[in-house]
Amino acid sequence: MHLFDRLAVVLKYHKIVLIIFVLVVSGMMYQTYTTTPMYQASARLHIEEEYTADVANLRESYYAQDPDAYYNTQYRILQGRDLGRRAVKRLSLAAVPEFNGTGATPTKLSQITGAIKAALLAPFTGGEDPGDEEAELALDPEPESAPGEDTAPEDDDTSGLVDAFLARVDVEPVPSSRLVDVSFVSADPEFAARAANVLAEEYVAQNLDFRLQNTNKDLDFLEQEVARQQAKVQESERLLADYRETRDAVSLDDRQNIVVSRLNQLNDAVTLARTTRIQRETMYNQVANARDRESLTAIVQNPLIQNLRARLAELRRDKARLSERYGEMHPEILRVDSQIADTERQIDAEVDRTVDAIRNDYEAALAEERSLTRDLDQQKGAVEDLGRKSVDYSVLLRQAESDRQIYDSLLARLQELRVVGNSRANNVRLLDRARVPGGPFTPDTRRAWMMALMLGLGLGIGAAFAIDYLDDTVKTPEDITWRLKLNYLGLVPKVRGGRNPMLSGPVPHDFGEAFRALRTALVLSHAGQHAHIQVFTSAQPLEGKTTTAVNVALALAIGGSRVLLIDADMRRPSVHKQFNLTNDKGLSHLLSGQAKMRDVVRNSPDQNLLVITGGATPPNPSELLASDTMKRFLRQLETGPFAWIIIDTPPVLAVTDAVILAPSVAGVTFVLGAEMTRWRLAERAIDTLQAGRPRSVSAILNRVDTDSNRYYYSRYYGQHFRSYYADSQAAS
C-alpha cells in the first residue's frame, strides 16, 4: 500500500479518528489535571552484611552465606509494621491533614468541577455541601505515646494510620551496591522529606537496638555455658589421669601402634609361607606319585641331567656306528658300553638327589609355616588384650578432647561478643538524608500530554485502518458482480470441522443443494452446446478450487451428464487423492506421448464420471499445456462422448496454466474464498485471466460462513428455510 493510500484511509475515516482522538486526550488530561500532585523524597541507607553467630549450635562466627536472603529480609523490615508504627508515632501522623481524613488540597480543576457538581446537586441535597460532612468526620490528633509504648497493641485508628503510611513507602536497592533508597510519597513536599528521614533514622536505631539486645542475651547465655563447660573439662581430664595411673596406660598409643604393626608383618609372612608351602607340596606330590620320574618337569629342567642325557645319547650313537664295523666283543664296543652304563648310573643318582632336594624343601616350608602361624596366634592374643585395655582409654581421651574444644570455642566467642557489645557497632547507617523535592513526582503533565496525543492519534488511526481492513476481502455476491464485474454462478457454504466433503458421500443438506444450484447455473449458461469444457482456477492456493471442481463434476454426473474430470495441476496434483486413485499415469504422460487415452482414464464412484489424474510432475507443465498435442486433445474432447469436461488448473497468481488454457475452452470458472481473497489479489488474478482472452469468466463464492455472517448471506441463500428440509445423507 502506497503512502497516499494510507493517507486516503485516514481522510476517509477522519471523523472517527477525530472523535477517538478528542475522547482519549480529554479523558487523559482530565485525569491528569484532577489528580493531586504527589512529591517523592528519598533517603539513602548503607547496609553492610551482618556477621552471624549461631550460639545454640556452637558454630564459629561467619558472614551470611546468602546475602540475597539477608538483604531481602532487611527490605521487608523497612516496610514492616513495627518500624512503621515507630515512624507514625514520631511523626504524629494523626495530626497530618493528608492522613487524618481532611485530605490534601485539591487541584484548581478539581475545585472547579467540584463546585459545578455541587451546584448541579444542590436542588437535590437541600443546599448542603457534601464536603462539610466529611470535614466533621475528620480524626482528632492523637496524643503522643510515652517512650516505650510503641510496641503496644494497635487500635483501629493506629492500624489505619500505619497502613496508610506504609502504602506511601517504597524501598529500592541500588544495583550492584549495598545502598538502599527509602522513598516516601506525599502531597506535601516538606512532609515527604521529613517522613523519609524519620523512617531511615528509626530503622538505624531499631537495628542497633536489636543488635545490642541479641548481644546481651548471647553474653548471658555464654557466661553460663562457659562455667558449666569448665567444670566438665576438669572432670574429664581428672578421669583420664586416674585411668593412666591405675591401668599403666601412659604409652598406650605407642604400644598399640607397635603391636598392630608386628601383627601385620606376621600376617604377611604367614601368607607368603603358606603360598611357598603349597607350591613345594604340589611339586613333591608330583614327584612322589610319578611312575616315570625322569619325565617330570623338575627332573627334565635339571641342567646336570640334561648334560648327562646328551652325553648318553652321543655314546649310543657312537656304539651304533661301531656296531656296523665290529662285533659285540670288540674292545671299542666294550669301552663304549662301559661309558654308557656309567652315565646311566650318574643320571639315576642325580634324579635321586633332585627328589631328595624337593622333599627337603617341602618339609622346610611346612616347618616355617607352622612356626609363623604360632607366632601369629600369639600376636593376635596380644592385640586383643591391648584392644580391651585401650577401649576405656579411648573413650576417656575423646571425651576430654571434645570438652576442651567446646570450652575453647565458647570462651573465644564470649570474648568476641564482649568486644562487639562495648563497641556499639552498627552495620546500618544513614548515608544521605532526604531533601525537599523541587517538583511533583506524579502526575508528569508533559509526559501525560505526549502519551495522550500519541495514544489518541494512534488509536484513531488504528481504528481507521482496522475498519478499512475489514472491507479488504471478498464477502458477498455484490462484491463479485459490482467490483469484480464477473458472472456470478452461486455460493458454497463452509463445512464445519475443516473437512472437504464430496457429493459421492454423506454431506450437509445445504452443501449438496449449493452444488445442485451451481449445476443448474452452469447448464443454463452453456445451453445449446455439444460439449462444455470448463477450466476451474482461483487467485491463490487453499481457496477450495479442487474440491469445488470435483463436486461440480460429481453434481453434473449425478444429474445424468457424461463428465470427464481432468487434473491439469501437474505441479501439485490432488484430484487422485479425492477419489483414492493412483497417480502413476496421467495427463503429463498423455501429453508427452508416454501413454494413450485409454491408459490414463480412470473410473470414479459415479458411472457417468471419468477421471484423468495429473500424473508425474514434468519439468515443463506450462509448455505441455500450450503444446499442439493439448490443443488437439481438447478438440477431440469437444466431439467426444462427454457432455462436460471439467479441468482443474493451478491458481492464476502462482502460474499461468489457466491463462494458457483459457482461449481453448468454453469458459473459466473462478473460485473465490469468502473472507479469504483480498480485492487486489482477486482483481490482479482476473486481469491476468483476461489477458488470455477467455470466452467467458464466471465466479463461485466458496467456503461461505453462513452461520457467522447471516446478515450477508441470508438474502442469497435459503438460510431461513434450512430447517424445513432434513440433512441429506448422500447425494441423489
Side-chain angles (χ1 to χ4, degrees):
M1 183 182 290
H2 196 270
L3 178 61
F4 290 105
D5 295 332
R6 292 186 172 89
L7 182 59
V9 171
V10 177
L11 294 177
K12 180 180 179 180
Y13 301 103
H14 65 280
K15 293 182 179 179
I16 296 177
V17 174
L18 184 60
I19 291 172
I20 294 176
F21 177 78
V22 172
L23 290 176
V24 171
V25 173
S26 300
M28 294 187 66
M29 288 300 99
Y30 178 80
Q31 177 67 25
T32 299
Y33 285 102
T34 56
T35 301
T36 302
M38 303 299 290
Y39 299 85
Q40 185 181 52
S42 299
R44 177 160 293 182
L45 292 169
H46 182 212
I47 304 177
E48 291 285 352
E49 295 182 35
E50 181 183 25
Y51 72 90
T52 305
D54 193 348
V55 178
N57 293 330
L58 303 179
R59 295 187 299 188
E60 294 182 358
S61 62
Y62 62 97
Y63 282 94
Q65 296 181 0
D66 188 2
D68 291 339
Y70 173 75
Y71 281 107
N72 288 329
T73 302
Q74 298 306 309
Y75 304 153
R76 296 297 182 271
I77 292 175
L78 279 167
Q79 296 174 307
R81 297 189 62 83
D82 184 53
L83 185 62
R85 186 167 55 252
R86 292 170 60 127
V88 165
K89 177 184 175 182
R90 181 174 168 185
L91 290 169
S92 300
L93 202 65
V96 179
E98 190 175 350
F99 293 92
N100 62 11
T102 304
T105 303
T107 62
K108 293 182 179 180
L109 182 59
S110 298
Q111 295 175 3
I112 294 173
T113 56
I116 295 174
K117 180 180 177 181
L120 294 175
L121 295 178
F124 306 99
T125 59
E128 295 181 0
D129 188 358
D132 295 340
E133 185 177 356
E134 296 180 0
E136 294 175 359
L137 297 177
L139 296 177
D140 293 333
E142 294 289 339
E144 292 190 8
S145 302
E149 294 183 1
D150 55 312
T151 59
E154 299 177 355
D155 55 20
D156 294 339
D157 294 339
T158 305
S159 178
L161 290 174
V162 172
D163 292 336
F165 179 82
L166 294 178
R168 306 289 186 91
V169 175
D170 181 60
V171 177
E172 185 68 25
V174 179
S176 303
S177 70
R178 295 188 174 95
L179 303 178
V180 181
D181 289 334
V182 180
S183 304
F184 190 84
V185 177
S186 174
D188 184 357
E190 295 182 358
F191 181 77
R194 188 160 65 94
N197 290 328
V198 166
L199 184 64
E201 292 169 357
E202 289 296 325
Y203 170 69
V204 173
Q206 183 189 58
N207 187 75
L208 181 59
D209 292 342
F210 286 161
R211 289 173 60 88
L212 293 177
Q213 290 175 8
N214 293 334
T215 301
N216 293 332
K217 291 179 181 179
D218 292 344
L219 282 173
D220 295 339
F221 171 77
L222 285 175
E223 288 174 352
Q224 297 174 6
E225 287 297 316
V226 166
R228 283 196 293 266
Q229 195 63 31
Q230 185 177 10
K232 285 185 178 181
V233 170
Q234 294 173 353
E235 179 64 20
S236 59
E237 291 183 350
R238 184 185 61 78
L239 292 175
L240 182 62
D242 293 342
Y243 186 83
R244 286 176 175 174
E245 293 177 1
T246 57
R247 300 297 181 90
D248 190 20
V250 177
S251 58
L252 191 59
D253 293 337
D254 296 336
R255 288 177 56 194
Q256 188 173 14
N257 294 334
I258 296 173
V259 170
V260 172
S261 176
R262 175 62 178 164
L263 177 64
N264 293 332
Q265 293 176 1
L266 285 174
N267 188 57
D268 295 338
V270 168
T271 302
L272 180 61
R274 183 176 292 110
T275 303
T276 304
R277 189 266 303 167
I278 291 173
Q279 293 175 352
R280 293 180 179 178
E281 183 180 6
T282 302
M283 185 180 297
Y284 174 72
N285 290 334
Q286 291 177 353
V287 172
N289 298 327
R291 295 181 179 180
D292 184 9
R293 297 186 302 175
E294 296 183 0
S295 62
L296 295 174
T297 303
I299 304 300
V300 172
Q301 294 179 352
N302 191 315
L304 181 57
I305 294 176
Q306 290 177 355
N307 294 333
L308 291 174
R309 285 182 175 176
R311 173 63 178 165
L312 180 61
E314 183 178 358
L315 291 173
R316 287 175 177 171
R317 287 194 298 271
D318 291 343
K319 179 181 178 181
R321 186 176 63 255
L322 292 174
S323 297
E324 294 176 356
R325 299 173 56 188
Y326 306 109
E328 293 292 333
M329 300 306 294
H330 192 275
E332 291 294 329
I333 291 177
L334 293 176
R335 181 180 59 78
V336 172
D337 288 339
S338 176
Q339 292 178 352
I340 289 173
D342 184 59
T343 302
E344 289 177 345
R345 284 193 300 273
Q346 292 180 7
I347 291 174
D348 292 338
E350 187 61 30
V351 168
D352 292 338
R353 282 195 297 273
T354 302
V355 171
D356 292 339
I358 292 173
R359 183 177 61 254
N360 293 334
D361 291 342
Y362 162 65
E363 292 175 351
L366 180 61
E368 184 180 4
E369 180 187 4
R370 292 174 178 173
S371 176
L372 290 174
T373 301
R374 287 192 298 271
D375 294 342
L376 180 62
D377 294 337
Q378 294 175 358
Q379 193 65 24
K380 286 181 179 179
V383 170
E384 292 175 356
D385 179 66
L386 188 60
R388 286 190 297 269
K389 183 182 295 185
S390 64
V391 169
D392 296 336
Y393 175 79
S394 299
V395 171
L396 293 174
L397 180 61
R398 284 195 298 270
Q399 182 64 38
E401 292 176 349
S402 176
D403 292 342
R404 171 59 66 177
Q405 291 177 357
I406 295 174
Y407 174 75
D408 293 341
S409 176
L410 289 174
L411 188 60
R413 181 58 185 156
L414 179 62
Q415 299 299 330
E416 292 176 2
L417 285 179
R418 285 175 177 170
V419 173
V420 171
N422 294 331
S423 66
R424 298 180 61 86
N426 195 352
N427 65 316
V428 176
R429 63 189 180 96
L430 179 57
L431 190 64
D432 293 326
R433 298 181 62 84
R435 295 182 296 177
V436 177
F441 166 70
T442 182
D444 187 348
T445 55
R446 179 180 296 179
R447 182 173 179 271
W449 270 108
M450 292 181 60
M451 290 294 296
L453 294 175
M454 293 176 60
L455 185 61
L457 190 61
L459 288 177
I461 295 176
F465 280 111
I467 296 172
D468 184 70
Y469 176 79
L470 294 176
D471 294 332
D472 198 32
T473 57
V474 180
K475 299 178 184 63
T476 64
E478 282 86 357
D479 297 336
I480 296 175
T481 56
W482 293 352
R483 185 158 185 172
L484 299 180
K485 296 180 175 57
L486 296 178
N487 180 31
Y488 171 70
L489 292 179
L491 58 82
V492 178
K494 182 178 181 180
V495 178
R496 297 295 179 184
R499 298 185 296 112
N500 295 322
M502 295 175 57
L503 294 182
S504 57
V507 295
H509 172 73
D510 53 351
F511 185 83
E513 287 300 320
F515 279 98
R516 293 185 182 91
L518 288 174
R519 176 184 64 191
T520 303
L522 281 173
V523 170
L524 293 177
S525 63
H526 295 279
Q529 299 182 14
H530 173 66
H532 316 296
I533 304 178
Q534 285 288 318
V535 167
F536 278 71
T537 186
S538 62
Q540 55 189 353
L542 304 178
E543 294 191 75
K545 160 187 61 67
T546 300
T547 303
T548 304
V550 169
N551 282 308
V552 168
L554 283 170
L556 292 169
I558 292 171
S561 300
R562 190 75 170 166
V563 183
L564 176 63
L565 176 61
I566 301 175
D567 189 357
D569 190 355
M570 292 180 284
R571 293 176 176 83
R572 297 179 65 88
S574 59
V575 172
H576 65 282
K577 299 178 182 178
Q578 302 283 345
F579 295 98
N580 294 325
L581 301 174
T582 59
N583 194 33
D584 52 348
K585 290 185 179 180
L587 182 62
S588 61
H589 300 85
L590 178 64
L591 297 180
S592 61
Q594 301 178 16
K596 296 183 178 180
M597 182 69 174
R598 61 175 177 270
D599 298 327
V600 297
V601 175
R602 310 290 179 84
N603 294 322
S604 73
D606 192 283
Q607 60 182 0
N608 289 331
L609 175 62
L610 297 179
V611 180
I612 297 179
T613 61
T617 302
N620 53 348
S622 298
E623 286 75 8
L624 288 179
L625 293 177
S627 64
D628 294 334
T629 304
M630 184 63 183
K631 295 178 181 178
R632 288 195 302 270
F633 177 58
L634 293 177
R635 286 196 295 270
Q636 292 175 3
L637 292 178
E638 290 179 350
T639 59
F642 300 99
W644 290 90
I645 297 93
I646 306 298
I647 303 176
D648 180 31
T649 60
V652 175
L653 297 180
V655 292
T656 60
D657 295 0
V659 181
I660 294 172
L661 294 176
S664 304
V665 299
V668 177
T669 301
F670 194 73
V671 180
L672 291 163
E675 302 183 42
M676 293 177 56
T677 308
R678 301 181 62 182
W679 287 117
R680 295 185 181 277
L681 295 179
E683 291 172 349
R684 189 169 65 182
I686 293 171
D687 292 341
T688 304
L689 270 178
Q690 296 292 351
R693 298 181 182 276
R695 299 177 187 177
S696 66
V697 179
S698 303
I700 296 175
L701 191 60
N702 190 33
R703 294 182 179 177
V704 175
D705 192 352
T706 57
D707 294 330
S708 301
N709 301 283
R710 295 176 184 271
Y711 174 79
Y712 290 110
Y713 306 114
S714 60
R715 297 171 293 171
Y716 316 103
Y717 201 69
Q719 192 72 15
H720 298 295
F721 305 99
R722 286 178 57 186
S723 59
Y724 186 81
Y725 296 97
D727 286 350
S728 173
Q729 297 299 322
S732 59

